[in-house]
Amino acid sequence: MALIRFIKSLFVRNRIFYAITFLGIIYLISNWYHGLFPIANLLCLGLAVVFFVDCLVLFRGSEQLKAQRLLPEKFSNSDLNELIVKIQNKYPFEITVTIIDEIPIQFQKRDFKKTFPIPAKSIQEYAYNLRPVERGEYIFGHLNIYVSSPIGIVKRRYRFEKDQMVKVYPSFIQMKKYAFLALDNRLTLYGMKKIRRIGHTMEFEQIKDYVIGDDVRTINWKATAKRASLMVNQFQDEKAQPIYTIIDASRTMKMPFNGLTLLDYAINSTLAFSNIALKKKDKVGLLTFAETIKNHVPASSKKTHLDTILEVLYNINTKFLDNDFGTLYTQIKRKVTQRSLLLLYTNFEHISALERQLIYLKALSRKHVLVVIFFQNTELDALLTTHAENLEEVYHKTIAQKADYDKKVMAKTLAKYGIQTILTKPEDLTVNTINKYLEIKAKGLI
C-alpha cells in the first residue's frame, strides 16, 4: 500500500525529459565518437542519483505540507466570491508549489493553476475569486498541491479537502451594497432620483411652527390660537404598508443575459428591495408562480423575515412551463385582502402575450397599486446602433427595431390603464425597482 501511495503521488517535471533527451543525443553521437560513451554513462548515473536524492528529500516524512481551502459560509450569486488557500510548509528548505483546485462543475473551468514559492517553515495564503451564475449546491473536489524541492526533478502531490460543499444564495452582496447606500443617503449615485413630495400621508408625527413652504391645509388652528402664532401638523410616511414582490417563474424568464437568467435577476432584485423595504418599516411578502402558485410568503415586517425570504428565493425551482395569470389573480384575491403595492417581475416578448394577460393585470390594479416590471432585450442593442450595409443586415435591423418598438408600446398600453411599469435592462433592474418604490412612497400612493 505504501508503494502504491508513493507511485500515485510521484510526478516528474519536464526538465527530466529534457535531460533524458540530451542523454539520448549523447548516446547516439557516441556511436561515432566512442569516447563520449563513458561520459554518457556517468551522466546517466548522475541523473539517477539526483532523481533518488530528490525523491528522498521530498518523500521523507508523511506530513511535510498542510493545506486548507477556506470557503465562505455561502456564495453570493452573480458576484465575485473570494476563496483562500492556506498552505503550511514544514520542509526545512524553500519549496515551489503548484495549486490545482478542482472547482465545481458549474463553473466549467478546467485550467486552474497557480505556482509560487514558499520559504522554509512558513505559512502562505493564496486568494482567488469565483463568480457563480446559478443558485444551488456547489461541490469542490480535491485541492491538489504539487511540491518541488530546489533540485526540481520530481514533484510530490498532496491532496486535501475533498467534497467540500457551499451553497450559492441570491445576491446578498448586492443587497448589502444597496442597503448601505440607502442608509447613507447616497442612492442618487446609483441612478436614484430625489422625488418631490406631493401632498402628505396621514400618520401624525408632531406639531411645529409654520415656515414658508408648509402646506396651509395642515395648519392646526387650536394650537395656533394657544400660541398666537401659526402652528402646523407634521406628518410622516405611513409605516408597515404591505408590499408583495411577485416573481414569474415560467419559461418566459429563462432568457439569459450575461450568464444570468431573467429569473435570477428578479430574485437578486427581490432580495435587495425587500431588505430596503423592511428597513423602511414596511411589511414585505413574496409570491412566485408559473403554471401554479409555487411559493406564498405573507407580508411581515419582522427583522427575521428577510431570512425567510432568502431561503424561499434560494429554493425557487421551476420547470419553465407557461405562466397562468388567472391562478395568480385568484390567489391574490383570496390571500391579499389589504390594499398593497404589488411588484410583478415578468417578461413579454410580444404584444399578443401582454394582451392575453391584460384582463388580469387590470383587475389587480383596481384594488392594488400594481407595478409591472419587464425587460429590454439588450442583445438587440448592437443591431439597433449598427449601420446596415447589405440586405441581410437591413432585415435584421428592421426586426430589432420592431421588437424594441413593441416593448415601448407595451409600456404605454399598461400606463393607459393606470398600471405603472418599469421597462429596464437586466443589469439596471435593482436600481430601477428601488427607485420606483421610493417614488411611490413619496407620492403616498399606498
Side-chain angles (χ1 to χ4, degrees):
M1 293 297 295
L3 179 61
I4 294 176
R5 287 197 299 270
F6 169 75
I7 294 174
K8 286 185 175 181
S9 60
L10 175 63
F11 292 81
V12 296
R13 300 187 66 180
N14 290 337
R15 60 185 61 179
I16 197 171
F17 296 108
Y18 300 149
I20 292 173
T21 301
F22 178 71
L23 286 174
I25 294 173
I26 294 179
Y27 275 117
L28 179 64
I29 297 175
S30 67
N31 287 325
W32 296 278
Y33 301 96
H34 301 292
L36 293 177
F37 189 77
I39 296 175
N41 287 335
L42 287 174
L43 292 175
C44 186
L45 179 61
L47 180 60
V49 170
V50 171
F51 179 84
F52 175 79
V53 171
D54 203 7
C55 289
L56 184 64
V57 298
L58 278 179
F59 286 86
R60 183 179 56 187
S62 57
E63 295 186 359
Q64 294 297 313
L65 183 131
K66 288 187 176 181
Q68 185 180 11
R69 183 197 295 120
L70 303 178
L71 294 178
E73 181 181 353
K74 54 191 176 184
F75 278 172
S76 176
N77 193 23
S78 76
D79 298 309
L80 290 177
N81 298 265
E82 185 180 67
L83 292 83
I84 297 176
V85 176
K86 185 178 181 180
I87 304 175
Q88 181 180 5
N89 175 21
K90 294 184 177 182
Y91 286 101
F93 49 82
E94 183 182 88
I95 60 174
T96 299
V97 299
T98 299
I99 302 175
I100 299 181
D101 199 358
E102 297 176 3
I103 63 179
I105 191 172
Q106 289 93 331
F107 293 102
Q108 291 297 302
K109 185 177 177 64
R110 297 293 179 268
D111 57 350
F112 185 98
K113 185 178 180 181
K114 177 65 178 179
T115 302
F116 54 89
I118 301 180
K121 303 290 184 178
S122 65
I123 298 175
Q124 194 159 324
E125 293 183 351
Y126 169 69
Y128 66 97
N129 296 309
L130 292 176
R131 180 181 180 267
V133 293
E134 297 178 12
R135 288 166 290 110
E137 295 182 350
Y138 284 53
I139 307 296
F140 286 79
H142 286 106
L143 174 62
N144 300 284
I145 309 290
Y146 296 86
V147 181
S148 301
S149 71
I151 299 174
I153 295 296
V154 299
K155 295 187 290 186
R156 179 179 180 179
R157 183 181 68 181
Y158 290 87
R159 308 186 88 179
F160 306 93
E161 307 287 8
K162 178 174 170 54
D163 294 336
Q164 278 187 297
M165 188 272 288
V166 64
K167 292 183 178 181
V168 176
Y169 277 81
S171 180
F172 52 84
I173 291 179
Q174 184 182 104
M175 176 195 72
K176 293 177 182 177
K177 178 181 69 174
Y178 286 112
F180 173 77
L181 291 172
L183 292 175
D184 199 31
N185 293 321
R186 290 193 290 117
L187 285 169
T188 51
L189 297 180
Y190 277 76
M192 306 300 177
K193 297 184 294 184
K194 291 184 177 180
I195 304 299
R196 181 182 179 187
R197 179 182 298 279
I198 301 175
H200 57 78
T201 56
M202 298 305 295
E203 188 167 333
F204 177 79
E205 183 179 11
Q206 64 177 353
I207 299 174
K208 70 179 188 68
D209 292 323
Y210 174 84
V211 295
I212 296 176
D214 284 338
D215 191 341
V216 295
R217 294 174 297 176
T218 64
I219 294 176
N220 187 317
W221 294 108
K222 288 184 179 180
T224 298
K226 290 179 180 179
R227 293 285 299 272
S229 63
L230 284 177
M231 306 292 292
V232 295
N233 294 329
Q234 181 172 317
F235 298 86
Q236 63 179 355
D237 286 339
E238 189 175 347
K239 298 180 180 179
Q241 297 166 326
I243 300 171
Y244 280 85
T245 51
I246 305 170
I247 300 177
D248 182 354
S250 67
R251 64 184 180 86
T252 60
M253 298 287 280
K254 191 177 181 179
M255 188 178 298
F257 290 91
N258 296 327
L260 284 181
T261 63
L262 295 181
L263 178 62
D264 279 308
Y265 278 110
I267 288 172
N268 291 343
S269 174
T270 295
L271 183 61
F273 162 76
S274 298
N275 184 45
I276 289 180
L278 287 171
K279 290 182 182 297
K280 296 282 187 181
K281 309 302 181 182
D282 284 326
K283 294 187 292 185
V284 178
L286 173 66
L287 196 149
T288 66
F289 77 104
E291 77 285 1
T292 61
I293 301 300
K294 300 292 186 180
N295 301 281
H296 182 199
V297 180
S300 173
S301 58
K302 295 180 180 178
K303 293 182 179 179
T304 58
H305 193 55
L306 189 64
D307 294 332
T308 303
I309 292 176
L310 178 61
E311 288 298 327
V312 172
L313 293 174
Y314 167 75
N315 289 298
I316 288 179
N317 191 14
T318 176
K319 297 179 181 178
F320 294 106
L321 300 176
D322 286 331
N323 52 28
D324 187 344
F325 276 79
T327 301
L328 172 65
Y329 170 73
T330 302
Q331 178 77 1
I332 293 177
K333 185 177 180 181
R334 289 175 55 240
K335 299 292 186 179
V336 185
T337 56
Q338 184 179 355
R339 179 176 171 84
S340 307
L341 171 62
L342 307 180
L343 298 174
L344 172 60
Y345 295 90
T346 186
N347 196 39
F348 302 108
E349 285 299 320
H350 304 284
I351 294 180
S352 59
L354 172 62
E355 291 174 344
R356 286 196 299 269
Q357 314 302 344
L358 195 55
I359 183 174
Y360 302 111
L361 298 178
K362 290 192 293 184
L364 288 173
S365 68
R366 280 194 287 268
K367 187 174 181 181
H368 305 280
V369 178
L370 176 62
V371 180
V372 177
I373 306 167
F374 60 111
F375 299 88
Q376 295 177 357
N377 191 337
T378 54
E379 298 294 328
L380 300 178
D381 289 348
L383 289 174
L384 292 171
T385 56
T386 302
H387 178 70
E389 297 182 352
N390 53 55
L391 185 60
E392 182 179 1
E393 291 180 358
V394 169
Y395 174 77
H396 289 161
K397 186 169 184 176
T398 302
I399 296 298
Q401 290 174 337
K402 178 65 166 60
D404 183 66
Y405 175 75
D406 285 349
K407 291 281 187 176
K408 296 175 182 177
V409 170
M410 293 179 207
K412 290 184 178 180
T413 301
L414 290 169
K416 182 174 67 174
Y417 294 104
I419 301 172
Q420 303 207 38
T421 61
I422 300 176
L423 177 58
T424 178
K425 295 179 179 179
E427 59 269 24
D428 297 332
L429 175 62
T430 301
V431 168
N432 292 333
T433 301
I434 297 174
N435 189 31
K436 175 61 73 171
Y437 162 70
L438 296 177
E439 177 184 344
I440 291 173
K441 287 281 288 184
K443 290 181 177 180
L445 297 181
I446 55 173

